[in-house]
Amino acid sequence: GHIAAAAASIEDEFGKATYFELLTAVAMRYFAEQAVDVAVYEVGLGGRLDATNVIQPTVSVLGEIQLEHEAILGATLEKIAQEKAGIMKPGVATLVFEQDKEVMESFSAAAEETGAELRVLGKDVDYSSRFEATPELGPHARVCFSSARTTFEHLPVPLKGAHQSLNCGLVLGALDELQAHGLQTPERQVALGLAETPSAGRLEQVWDEPRILIDGAHTPESVEATIKAIGAHMRFDSMVVVFGCAADKHIDEMLQRVAIGADKLILTRTNDNPRSAQAKDLGERLKGMASISMRMAQVIPDVCEAVNTAVRAVSRDDLILVTGSFYLAGEVKRLLLEARQKREGQHEVGKAQQQIEAKR
């Protein structure tokens, strides 16, 4: 009610508030009412003009800059980085990791212009990572982070992939900065918190026999990171990839990268996103790629049928990966959840029937 009234009071001057603006305002009010110690806001799209950017943060964090939303953010990494760097504030630390030269130059220029304190992992603060395997965790990465205030040593990274080690480093850097503002961040509690990190949509195993993973990768770089992470963390004989993506993505590059890791590729289209590319269009693009054999590919527009086809194509030691968009990953997760509930319901009915027969 308070938010609706506030939006109505400025409508004549600024126009109707958008859904995202209203949601952001509701979150701010809720956090204030709950008197939270720390609130984490994820920027919507871009940064400079985002609704969340009215906040004066304690610390800012910028992850990897990739080519996406070019129509709004700009057609180059440099321009996108400039938009993302719009969240920098005078005197506020901004944590980043090393990446493309033009991105780092944009970050440095923005920090200098705004008076923000740019901190680069491994350069301005000590950070390192290593890959190992243990009986408890299997193959996984561990990271170390240290500053004048904080030392985190060999903390296991909860998510798979080299990029997640860097993301974990950014989180530790943010905690270090919060400690400078009075928040206690004991290493044991941080380790426990990391261990409880949810993996929904991030190489999440949603079915056991056969193994079915879902991942929301929706850019060429994230698809490549997903394929590499599976190779590093999992053992399997062959992999079937069920792929679908939005029509406005870099489809050719995504297909090229996903085909590198796939022994069989099934192209489909989610029903959950009207912007999804048609499965037959994905097939046509694939045909035009000389480096990819169409013998390994199949076009199956219906998602349920695509997954069932993948299941029929694998044996016990194989793997099924569903990727290309969070919409596709979410739809498949929902379908499998419904299938599991139906199977468990049938199992309970069967058990009840057996009990009735026994009593007779």
Side-chain angles (χ1 to χ4, degrees), residues 122-136:
K123 183 179 174 184
D124 301 308
V125 289
D126 288 337
Y127 161 84
S128 64
S129 69
R130 73 165 194 255
F131 195 76
E132 65 176 42
T134 63
E136 301 81 26

Side-chain angles (χ1 to χ4, degrees), residues 79-156:
K79 288 181 178 177
I80 294 173
Q82 287 169 358
E83 291 296 315
K84 300 282 188 182
I87 66 169
M88 292 183 183
K89 298 289 189 296
V92 175
T94 301
L95 286 143
V96 302
F97 52 73
E98 284 281 3
Q99 45 195 296
D100 289 77
K101 182 183 176 184
E102 61 265 45
V103 170
M104 300 309 291
E105 287 174 350
S106 291
F107 285 169
S108 295
E112 190 172 338
E113 185 179 336
T114 60
E117 298 174 19
L118 188 65
R119 295 184 186 165
V120 183
L121 289 185
K123 183 179 174 184
D124 301 308
V125 289
D126 288 337
Y127 161 84
S128 64
S129 69
R130 73 165 194 255
F131 195 76
E132 65 176 42
T134 63
E136 301 81 26
L137 299 176
H140 67 283
R142 288 180 182 262
V143 296
C144 297
F145 177 99
S146 65
S147 73
R149 289 180 296 267
T150 313
T151 300
F152 297 117
E153 292 189 333
H154 311 301
L155 293 182

Side-chain angles (χ1 to χ4, degrees), residues 178-241:
L178 289 173
Q179 182 157 305
H181 289 78
L183 185 77
Q184 295 302 305
T185 59
E187 186 171 3
R188 184 173 178 276
Q189 295 301 111
V190 171
L192 289 172
L194 284 174
E196 293 175 5
T197 301
S199 61
R202 306 284 185 187
L203 281 178
E204 179 186 4
Q205 186 164 323
V206 290
W207 201 266
D208 297 332
E209 294 181 7
R211 286 177 295 168
I212 302 178
L213 305 176
I214 60 169
D215 194 273
H218 56 281
T219 66
E221 294 84 359
S222 57
V223 167
E224 183 176 356
T226 294
I227 297 298
K228 285 182 177 178
I230 289 174
H233 289 267
M234 310 198 75
R235 291 185 178 180
F236 57 92
D237 286 345
S238 63
M239 181 165 66
V240 177
V241 179

Side-chain angles (χ1 to χ4, degrees), residues 227 236 238-243 255-266 292-293 296 319 321:
I227 297 298
F236 57 92
S238 63
M239 181 165 66
V240 177
V241 179
V242 178
F243 179 86
L255 285 171
Q256 285 166 351
R257 285 165 169 79
V258 83
I260 291 170
D263 295 289
K264 180 179 177 63
L265 183 56
I266 298 174
I292 301 174
S293 169
M296 63 176 275
L319 198 62
L321 169 66

